[in-house]
Amino acid sequence: MAAEAQFARMNGLGNMILVVDMRGRADAVTPTAAIALNADPATRFDQIMAIHDPKVDGTDAFIVILNCDGTKAQACGNGTRCVVQALAAETGRKAFTFQTVAGILNATEHADGTISVDMGKPVFEWSRIPLAEEFFDTSRIELQIGPIDAPILHSPAAMSMGNPHAVFWVDRDPMSFDLDRFGPLLENHPMFPEKANITLAQVTSPSSMTTRTWERGAGLTLACGSAACAAGVSGARTGRTGRKVAITVASSPNRGTLTIEWREDDHVVMTGPAEWEWSGTLDPSTGAFRRDETGAAAL
Ligand SMILES: N[C@H](CCC[C@H](N)C(=O)O)C(=O)O
């Protein structure tokens, strides 16, 4: 049995996150532990954000991201805001720099409690998304589902925010689509050798859209931050919106909002809330956990 690690159950717009404090130790949260934690209704989650000691100078932590099926993810926008809130509560600091497998992320907590994360630069090159087929222009790739002459979803914008995304444009509320049926087919489509996060986006004005996402490795989640980034960038890239959009996440409680700005320097900045629910300790090798009785926010 591994020594216990502190964790906090948190959420970003309903995206269920476990922030696990792995600082000062060499082991990792195992896929077995992730699967066990997800199997218990009390600790069911979409992503684990494991905070490890920094590996490079100038960063505060190295973050490892696990999906609820035990696979690794390269990016998680909602989870990153949760990590910022937990570390800000612990240290009183407002600005952090993290390293992930996808690169360096800078993040800031604002006075109103919202958190901005610089999610880095989008990647459009087909081989780096990655797609299985060469596309010169990945803003509209050939892919459709439904009847060949009347597809239900077609021609998504494909891109990477560190993790692979496909954004399908729809002309009505994304909640009115059978995403639980189409999501698995598209996530696992041969076009996406590393699978993909699948988002439906309805543009509602040049500065707003409504989204809903089927997540790679997690399925239908209440919200997905990196998908909101992908939708915002794809809206601007295809001329549907400007470079700053308010994204209503249709599936989240009270249809919450994320603001996505694709800055002129090519960085994508996501701003939104994070919420602490409760804290506890867990065994990172097995997933056995205990809930703290104090009821105080802690990592
Ligand atoms: N919920 C996350 C995304 C998790 C990504 C994951 N599903 C994958 O790429 O495998 C977010 O807020 O960005």
Side-chain angles (χ1 to χ4, degrees), residues 118-249:
D118 177 344
M119 297 283 288
K121 297 180 182 182
V123 173
F124 301 132
E125 199 185 314
W126 71 274
S127 59
R128 291 177 62 209
I129 294 174
L131 302 178
E133 279 174 40
E134 180 170 356
F135 281 96
F136 172 70
D137 178 6
T138 52
S139 70
R140 187 187 154 91
I141 66 168
E142 269 167 61
L143 179 64
Q144 66 173 51
I145 55 161
I148 197 134
D149 49 350
I152 297 164
L153 298 172
H154 67 93
S155 316
M159 57 171 285
S160 168
M161 273 311 304
N163 54 350
H165 289 272
V167 179
F168 288 87
W169 306 105
V170 296
D171 54 10
R172 57 190 157 91
D173 189 338
M175 296 307 282
S176 65
F177 288 81
D178 273 347
L179 191 52
D180 49 347
R181 200 151 64 82
F182 306 136
L185 300 174
L186 290 165
E187 174 193 3
N188 296 294
H189 193 283
M191 181 62 86
F192 305 115
E194 292 178 16
K195 307 190 178 188
N197 296 286
I198 306 299
T199 293
L200 307 185
Q202 178 193 20
V203 173
T204 46
S205 85
S207 59
S208 63
M209 62 174 83
T210 302
T211 63
R212 182 182 178 209
T213 301
W214 174 273
E215 281 193 28
R216 174 180 72 162
L220 276 184
T221 58
L222 297 188
C224 180
S226 52
C229 295
V233 168
S234 300
R237 185 184 176 208
T238 58
R240 288 176 168 85
T241 65
R243 292 175 76 102
K244 186 169 180 180
V245 283
I247 303 216
T248 300
V249 182

Side-chain angles (χ1 to χ4, degrees), residues 205-294:
S205 85
S207 59
S208 63
M209 62 174 83
T210 302
T211 63
R212 182 182 178 209
T213 301
W214 174 273
E215 281 193 28
R216 174 180 72 162
L220 276 184
T221 58
L222 297 188
C224 180
S226 52
C229 295
V233 168
S234 300
R237 185 184 176 208
T238 58
R240 288 176 168 85
T241 65
R243 292 175 76 102
K244 186 169 180 180
V245 283
I247 303 216
T248 300
V249 182
S251 43
S252 75
N254 307 319
R255 293 170 78 96
T257 306
L258 291 173
T259 304
I260 305 297
E261 182 174 11
W262 185 17
R263 288 191 324 220
E264 293 301 331
D265 67 0
D266 202 23
H267 283 240
V268 183
V269 179
M270 169 202 62
T271 303
E275 185 183 27
W276 173 84
E277 295 175 24
W278 51 268
S279 296
T281 50
L282 59 75
D283 179 334
S285 65
T286 64
F289 73 96
R290 221 160 9 95
R291 194 170 164 155
D292 285 351
E293 271 148 36
T294 62

